[in-house]
Amino acid sequence: MMNFYDSSLFFDEMFDGTQPKPHYRSFYRKLAMFSQEQLEEKYRQAQASFLTQGITFTVYGAQDGTERTMPFDCVPIIIPHAQWATIEAGVKQRVKALNLFLQDIYGDQAIIRDGHIPRQLVENNPYYALTMKGLKVPIANHIFLAGIDLIRDEHGDYHVLEDNLRNPSGISYVFQNRHVMKEVYPEFFSKHTIRSLDKHIVYMQKALLAHRPSSMPAEREPKAVLLTAGMYNSAYYDHVFLAQHLNIQLVEGRDLVVKDLKVYMKTIYGLQQIDIIYRRIDDDFLDPAVFREDSLLGVPSLMTAYQAGNVAILNAVGNGVADDKAMYAYVPEMIRYYLQEEPILPNVKTYHLGDERQRTWVLEHLQELVIKNVGASGGYDMLIGPHASEEEIALFKEKIVAQPLQYIAQPTIKLSRAPAFQQGRFYPCHVDLRVYVIKNDDCYVLPGGLSRVALQEGSLIVNSSQGGGAKDTWILKEDVQHAKSSSGRTVLDGTV
């Protein structure tokens, strides 16, 4: 049915040659039972479900309208239990080390003093917040929610592509992808061996409320809000979903005020003190008295209340220095330094263009490499050498020469592929996986994550703003294995 493309060109999530892999066989058999007409009708149902529920994102500068539904694909990414256990251990290890790094660089700076990370890479970083120096954050935790982006190479090995420690978005789509999949394809859920997402929002809520400010009386229950930039923000649906499910108020900067070093929310009953702010706006816009004076999104004097220990801000201010693309190359060293462990999940090889020798080599091989702006996200200001024109390569050569510290280079990895069903046909698409790590005293990993897919055939860019979509991600409770049936014949255990 779907084994019409050559799966040997890239690592394929579903196929091994012309046959589905063991953990996909049950799904494949069920999928094969649908006619073309049924699949097309289910595709329409899924897109309509996203539209009626208002599951959208905003594309800034789009000529055909900014509000779009998240493109959804019905072929899930299925991950065996043992494989997931390695991913889970690897992302926990990474987030623990990154949190210790943030504590350190805003404290004693031991990792710099011991010569493991160049001082200028930290202190000249635009995301390094001097206002955080010496500040003790609640439960010594800078990272409430992390989004760790993983890719698989041509051998099927996972690599960390990027760490997102500021305002990682998309977690709402994980839950809604599962909801729509169950609604439109209930046939796939007849056997319950997939790890459920039920009740996992409760853990996130408990982790959120654990970040009590240091001055807060022990007998009082903390009051939390989610601070959004408003309905025109690209991730506004994410904000609404989380506020509703975490059972906290959704507010904008104008709804909050600082008085006597404390933060209050304006209500029809008067001012109500706020203890925890889960902010979904960037550092620069948080407090016009400290950061951007022209910000209308933040709260004047918020940082003063924060520094006084009267409010918690999640994720912590200044996290950007740890997820900067230039700092990314040093995360394996952080793991060795702080945890005395070897990294479980490797990085993608990264070239620092501030180094003259590396820069010279990269400039001669741009057509083979991926070039990224260390401060950009969403696939913007990025060159994919093998797919670039001579004009694009020449432009990036000029950019690198002008601002070498602003860019990094990485080899072009043959990203894994998986089949997608779009516009009435199956075809292979490149995929990656964003894994969400929730942290309080310990780390908790949401089982699955957001599988993003480059729906434009041949594209390597999975971001929704540039033609990407999403798939449901299934984590098996136990690995597929052979068992004896009552007749004594060997049968394959179902995966779904």
Side-chain angles (χ1 to χ4, degrees), residues 405-423:
L405 295 176
Q406 194 61 35
Y407 294 91
I408 60 166
Q410 294 173 333
T412 308
I413 290 183
K414 284 189 167 185
L415 293 182
S416 64
R417 297 194 307 189
F421 182 79
Q422 300 284 309
Q423 299 174 343

Side-chain angles (χ1 to χ4, degrees), residues 9-29:
L9 297 175
F10 299 87
F11 180 85
D12 198 276
E13 300 283 344
M14 184 170 179
F15 288 108
D16 187 359
T18 60
Q19 297 299 313
K21 293 176 178 176
H23 57 289
Y24 266 99
R25 286 175 190 163
S26 176
F27 170 83
Y28 181 80
R29 286 195 298 267

Side-chain angles (χ1 to χ4, degrees), residues 175-375:
F175 292 92
Q176 294 297 57
N177 288 345
R178 179 64 54 85
H179 172 76
V180 170
M181 196 73 175
K182 283 186 171 181
E183 179 182 65
V184 178
Y185 293 92
E187 302 88 347
F188 293 141
F189 296 88
S190 58
K191 294 181 181 178
H192 305 286
T193 62
I194 303 167
R195 286 188 61 180
S196 170
L197 297 176
D198 296 345
K199 301 180 181 176
H200 294 301
I201 279 286
V202 174
Y203 186 93
M204 190 175 180
Q205 183 185 49
K206 288 180 179 177
L208 175 76
L209 297 178
H211 293 77
R212 302 169 65 96
S214 58
S215 65
M216 184 179 169
E219 67 276 7
R220 189 160 64 81
E221 289 296 316
K223 175 71 176 178
V225 295
L226 191 152
L227 176 60
T228 177
M231 64 183 296
Y232 297 109
N233 183 266
S234 62
Y236 186 64
Y237 173 78
D238 212 37
H239 306 171
V240 173
F241 177 93
L242 285 170
Q244 289 176 344
H245 287 78
L246 293 171
N247 195 29
I248 61 177
Q249 196 79 26
L250 183 69
V251 301
E252 296 181 30
R254 60 191 176 186
D255 300 317
L256 302 178
V257 63
V258 175
K259 287 182 177 292
D260 301 323
L261 301 181
K262 295 177 182 177
V263 180
Y264 295 90
M265 177 173 64
K266 303 169 188 174
T267 77
I268 58 173
Y269 305 106
L271 297 179
Q272 181 178 26
Q273 188 174 348
I274 298 303
D275 307 296
I276 300 167
I277 298 175
Y278 175 22
R279 53 73 174 258
R280 292 299 298 267
I281 65 175
D282 292 339
D283 290 358
D284 283 351
F285 300 96
L286 269 178
D287 183 347
V290 176
F291 302 113
R292 284 183 55 158
E293 294 180 6
D294 61 345
S295 172
L296 300 177
L297 304 178
V299 185
S301 301
L302 176 60
M303 288 301 296
T304 307
Y306 185 39
Q307 290 165 329
N310 292 327
V311 69
I313 298 176
L314 313 178
N315 284 347
V317 174
N319 277 14
V321 67
D323 72 2
D324 179 281
K325 291 181 177 67
M327 194 62 72
Y328 158 91
Y330 291 90
V331 178
E333 187 61 27
M334 295 177 200
I335 292 170
R336 296 183 186 101
Y337 182 79
Y338 294 115
L339 304 179
Q340 291 80 53
E341 298 171 359
E342 282 301 309
I344 296 169
L345 295 172
N347 275 16
V348 175
K349 182 176 176 58
T350 302
Y351 299 94
H352 285 286
L353 303 186
D355 180 287
E356 184 178 357
R357 184 175 58 83
Q358 293 187 51
R359 182 172 68 250
T360 300
W361 185 87
V362 165
L363 289 171
E364 293 173 355
H365 296 83
L366 284 179
Q367 69 280 6
E368 305 166 19
L369 301 167
V370 175
I371 309 299
K372 298 177 182 178
N373 185 318
V374 298

Side-chain angles (χ1 to χ4, degrees), residues 108-109 112-113 117-125 133:
D108 296 337
Q109 299 191 333
I112 296 174
R113 189 176 62 247
I117 291 180
R119 180 174 296 276
Q120 68 272 17
L121 197 62
V122 173
E123 297 187 347
N124 293 344
N125 191 299
K133 284 275 286 184

Side-chain angles (χ1 to χ4, degrees), residues 122-136:
V122 173
E123 297 187 347
N124 293 344
N125 191 299
Y127 301 109
Y128 184 67
L130 288 172
T131 54
M132 293 296 292
K133 284 275 286 184
L135 189 64
K136 303 295 183 184

